[in-house]
C-alpha cells in the first residue's frame, strides 16, 4: 500500500481513481469510511466522502476519520482530492480540511494543484482557468452552493485556511524537478504553508509528481495523480495489469441517466438514435413509484437482447427542467426520480442485471448505494475521469459518469470497447 486518497465527493473519487489506474497503480475505491477491519489488496485506496459542501466541522471530522482508517491500512502518503474548479466557499471546506490533515500528520507544508489540462483546467501565475476563461468568468461563478468569484488560488486558500500561500510558477516547472524542489524548500523556510503550483500541460504534472514523491500530504484535483502514480506504481506503469481487476464482465446492461448537464443532454440525444430509450415520467415517479418502477423494468427486459443496452433517462433541456420543477417542486421532483431509479436498479439486479452505466453524480451515488457496493476495483477508462469499476464482493460492474464528463458517444463506447 503506497497511497491513500481522501476525496470530497463520489464521482471525484472515481475520477482520481481512474487516473491512478491509467498510470499504473492498482486501485480500490471505498464509499465512506469502512466500519470493519477489511484488508484491501491494492497499491492505492480512494475513500469517497460527501464533504464538499457540508459544514466545515463535519468535513474535517469525516476527513480525519478517513485519514485514520487509511493509516490503519498501511498508507504512508496521502492525497486530499477536491474538484478541479476548486469548489469551496470563503470559509471552506478545502482550507479547513487541509489544515486538519496537516496537523494530524505533523506536517507544515503541502501543495495546491487543481490542474487537469486534458479537461481544460490549468493554473497560470496562480490563477485557475476553465478552458480559456478565468474561473471567475466561467459558469462556476453562478454555482448555487459554491459560487467561484475569484480565480486567484493564493487568495482563495488564505481566506479559508490558517497559513500563508505561495506560488511556484510555470517557468520554474519548465526548469525541471530540482528547480521545483529547491523552490519548495525556499518557500518552507519563509513559512509558506500552501504552495500553489502552476500547470499548463501534462509535462508540468509529471514534473510535479517526481518533485513531490516524498511529500507526505498533497492536495489537488485528479491531474496531479498522473505524475504521482508514475512515480509510485510498482508494476512499472503497466496499465493493463493495474486495471485488470476492474474490467467489466459480460451480462445484461442498462443505461440510466439522471444528470441534466449540457454534455449529458448531448449524450442522451446521441444514444436515443442508437438504442431503445424511455423517458421518466416525473408525475408517475411521484405518485406510483413501485408500480412504475416494475413497469420500467419490464420494458428494459423486453429490450435486453438488443445490440446496445436500453436507456432510462430523466435528462432534459433547461426549459423542460424548469417547467418540471415549477410544477412539482425542485427538491420533490429530484428526490422522486432518484427513488424511482433506486427501485428500478434494485429490481433489475434481482432479475440478473450485472452492468449499470450511469450519468450524474447524485444518480451514481444512489445506484451504488442501492446495490450495496461500498468498495470496487477500478478498471479501464472510458473517458478521462470515467472508468469502469467492478464490485469487490459482487459480480456487478458500473460506469459512473459525472454530468459534463465524456464525449457524445460515451454510452455506446462503454459497451462496445471495454467489456470482456
Amino acid at each position: 500500500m503506497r497511497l491513500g486518497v481522501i476525496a470530497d465527493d463520489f464521482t471525484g473519487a472515481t475520477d482520481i481513481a481512474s487516473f491512478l489506474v491509467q498510470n499504473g497503480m492498482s486501485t480500490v475505491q471505498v464509499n465512506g469510511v469502512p466500519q470493519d477491519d477489511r484488508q484491501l489488496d491494492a497499491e492505492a485506496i480512494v475513500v469517497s466522502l460527501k464533504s464538499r459542501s457540508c459544514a466545515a466541522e463535519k468535513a474535517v471530522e469525516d476527513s480525519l476519520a478517513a485519514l485514520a482508517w487509511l493509516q490503519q491500512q498501511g498508507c504512508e502518503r496521502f492525497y486530499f482530492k477536491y474538484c478541479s474548479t476548486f469548489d469551496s466557499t470563503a470559509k471552506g471546506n478545502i482550507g479547513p480540511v487541509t489544515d486538519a490533515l496537516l496537523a494530524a500528520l505533523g506536517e507544515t507544508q503541502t501543495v495546491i494543484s487543481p490542474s487537469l489540462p486534458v479537461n481544460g483546467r490549468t493554473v497560470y501565475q496562480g490563477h485557475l482557468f476553465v478552458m480559456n476563461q478565468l474561473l471567475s468568468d466561467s459558469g462556476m461563478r453562478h454555482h448555487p452552493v459554491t459560487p467561484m468569484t475569484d480565480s486567484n488560488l493564493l487568495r482563495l486558500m488564505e481566506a479559508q485556511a490558517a497559513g500563508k500561500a505561495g506560488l511556484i510558477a510555470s517557468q520554474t516547472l519548465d526548469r525541471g524537478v530540482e528547480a521545483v524542489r529547491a523552490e519548495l524548500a525556499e518557500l518552507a523556510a519563509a513559512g509558506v504553508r500552501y504552495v500553489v503550483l502552476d500547470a499548463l500541460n501534462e509535462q508540468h504534472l509529471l514534473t510535479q509528481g517526481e518533485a513531490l514523491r516524498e511529500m507526505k500530504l498533497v492536495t489537488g484535483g485528479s491531474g496531479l495523480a498522473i505524475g504521482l502514480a508514475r512515480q509510485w506504481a510498482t508494476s512499472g506503469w503497466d496499465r493493463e495489469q493495474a486495471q485488470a481487476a476492474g474490467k467489466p464482465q459480460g451480462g445484461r446492461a442498462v443505461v440510466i441517466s439522471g444528470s441534466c448537464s449540457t454534455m449529458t443532454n448531448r449524450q442522451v440525444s446521441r444514444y436515443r438514435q442508437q438504442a431503445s430509450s424511455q423517458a421518466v415520467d416525473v408525475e408517475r415517479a411521484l405518485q406510483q413509484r413501485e408500480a412504475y418502477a416494475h413497469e420500467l423494468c419490464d420494458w428494459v427486459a423486453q429490450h435486453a437482447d438488443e445490440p446496445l443496452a436500453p436507456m432510462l433517462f430523466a435528462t432534459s433541456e433547461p426549459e423542460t427542467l424548469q417547467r418540471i420543477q415549477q410544477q412539482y417542486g425542485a427538491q420533490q421532483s429530484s428526490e422522486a426520480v432518484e427513488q424511482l431509479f433506486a427501485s428500478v436498479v434494485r429490481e433489475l439486479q434481482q432479475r440478473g442485471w450485472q452492468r449499470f452505466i450511469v450519468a450524474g453524480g447524485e444518480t451514481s451515488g444512489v445506484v451504488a448505494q442501492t446495490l450495496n457496493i461500498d468498495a470496487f476495483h477500478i478498471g479501464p477508462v472510458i473517458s478521462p475521469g470515467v472508468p469502469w469499476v467492478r464490485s469487490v464482493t459482487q459480480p456487478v460492474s458500473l460506469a459512473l459518469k459525472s454530468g459534463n464528463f465524456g464525449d457524445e458517444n460515451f454510452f455506446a463506447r462503454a459497451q462496445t470497447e471495454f467489456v470482456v
Side-chain angles (χ1 to χ4, degrees):
M1 187 64 58
R2 296 188 167 225
L3 177 64
V5 180
I6 301 167
D8 67 359
D9 83 340
F10 183 87
T11 51
T14 308
D15 177 17
I16 190 170
S18 73
F19 278 100
L20 291 171
V21 166
Q22 199 172 15
N23 289 279
M25 293 189 80
S26 60
T27 304
V28 168
Q29 179 178 328
V30 297
N31 302 326
V33 181
Q35 301 302 308
D36 53 29
D37 296 326
R38 74 182 72 183
Q39 294 295 312
L40 298 173
D41 182 19
E43 293 177 295
I45 295 180
V46 180
V47 178
S48 164
L49 301 178
K50 294 182 179 179
S51 58
R52 179 168 298 174
S53 55
C54 65
E57 295 78 11
K58 176 65 173 172
V60 167
E61 177 186 349
D62 291 350
S63 299
L64 290 176
L67 174 66
W69 184 82
L70 288 167
Q71 288 174 315
Q72 291 171 6
Q73 293 291 312
C75 296
E76 297 181 348
R77 299 284 184 272
F78 303 93
Y79 193 133
F80 171 36
K81 195 275 177 191
Y82 40 77
C83 186
S84 60
T85 49
F86 208 74
D87 295 26
S88 55
T89 68
K91 296 183 179 180
N93 291 340
I94 294 174
V97 170
T98 299
D99 282 339
L101 295 175
L102 283 170
L105 292 168
E107 297 294 304
T108 57
Q109 186 184 70
T110 188
V111 294
I112 310 297
S113 181
S115 297
L116 184 58
V118 70
N119 278 355
R121 276 52 163 178
T122 55
V123 177
Y124 179 67
Q125 293 298 314
H127 288 75
L128 180 55
F129 285 79
V130 177
M131 299 301 181
N132 60 349
Q133 292 182 308
L134 284 165
L135 175 66
S136 55
D137 293 333
S138 74
M140 283 299 299
R141 70 187 185 280
H142 299 308
H143 194 285
V145 179
T146 54
M148 303 306 296
T149 58
D150 191 356
S151 305
N152 187 305
L153 293 170
L154 286 78
R155 282 198 300 262
L156 288 167
M157 198 63 190
E158 288 184 348
Q160 58 183 275
K164 182 180 178 182
L167 172 68
I168 294 182
S170 59
Q171 295 90 333
T172 301
L173 285 150
D174 288 336
R175 294 203 303 272
V177 173
E178 293 307 318
V180 173
R181 288 176 177 164
E183 196 152 336
L184 280 169
E186 290 178 10
L187 291 169
V192 172
R193 188 172 174 86
Y194 324 105
V195 181
V196 174
L197 300 175
D198 275 3
L200 304 178
N201 49 57
E202 186 169 301
Q203 181 55 53
H204 284 161
L205 297 178
L206 297 178
T207 299
Q208 289 181 20
E210 187 173 353
L212 302 172
R213 62 172 296 155
E214 301 303 325
M215 185 171 275
K216 199 162 189 178
L217 173 69
V218 299
T219 86
S222 56
L224 177 57
I226 297 171
L228 288 173
R230 295 193 195 182
Q231 292 298 310
W232 292 338
T234 57
S235 58
W237 192 30
D238 187 334
R239 181 180 301 172
E240 290 294 324
Q241 181 178 331
Q243 67 189 19
K247 279 189 174 180
Q249 302 299 304
R252 289 182 164 181
V254 64
V255 177
I256 295 176
S257 180
S259 170
C260 291
S261 70
T262 301
M263 179 51 74
T264 302
N265 267 289
R266 290 163 58 186
Q267 290 162 340
V268 166
S269 177
R270 175 69 175 273
Y271 196 67
R272 292 180 69 184
Q273 301 170 20
Q274 302 169 297
S276 298
S277 62
Q278 180 82 277
V280 167
D281 184 326
V282 176
E283 184 172 3
R284 294 196 65 191
L286 282 161
Q287 299 177 0
Q288 307 169 336
R289 188 180 79 215
E290 292 304 325
Y292 185 36
H294 183 75
E295 181 182 315
L296 290 175
C297 289
D298 286 344
W299 177 85
V300 170
Q302 291 169 12
H303 298 276
D305 296 326
E306 295 175 358
L308 290 175
M311 174 176 65
L312 300 175
F313 66 97
T315 301
S316 57
E317 297 291 342
E319 298 79 7
T320 305
L321 177 63
Q322 185 178 20
R323 178 180 54 77
I324 291 172
Q325 291 178 340
Q326 288 175 345
Q327 184 173 357
Y328 301 110
Q331 183 173 350
Q332 292 90 331
S333 56
S334 176
E335 289 178 354
V337 169
E338 300 301 352
Q339 290 169 5
L340 175 70
F341 281 150
S343 296
V344 166
V345 166
R346 188 179 300 110
E347 183 170 340
L348 286 177
Q349 184 186 33
Q350 292 171 354
R351 295 191 188 192
W353 262 253
Q354 295 180 322
R355 287 185 289 137
F356 298 84
I357 302 167
V358 188
E362 291 297 324
T363 310
S364 294
V366 166
V367 170
Q369 185 177 23
T370 300
L371 295 172
N372 294 314
I373 297 176
D374 62 356
F376 43 73
H377 297 284
I378 306 299
V381 174
I382 306 164
S383 290
V386 192
W388 271 106
V389 304
R390 196 165 79 205
S391 171
V392 169
T393 58
Q394 304 178 52
V396 174
S397 293
L398 306 171
L400 306 171
K401 185 194 82 68
S402 60
N404 278 314
F405 277 27
D407 61 6
E408 290 187 10
N409 202 41
F410 175 87
F411 295 136
R413 196 173 67 257
Q415 299 171 63
T416 56
E417 295 184 16
F418 300 98
V419 179
V420 296

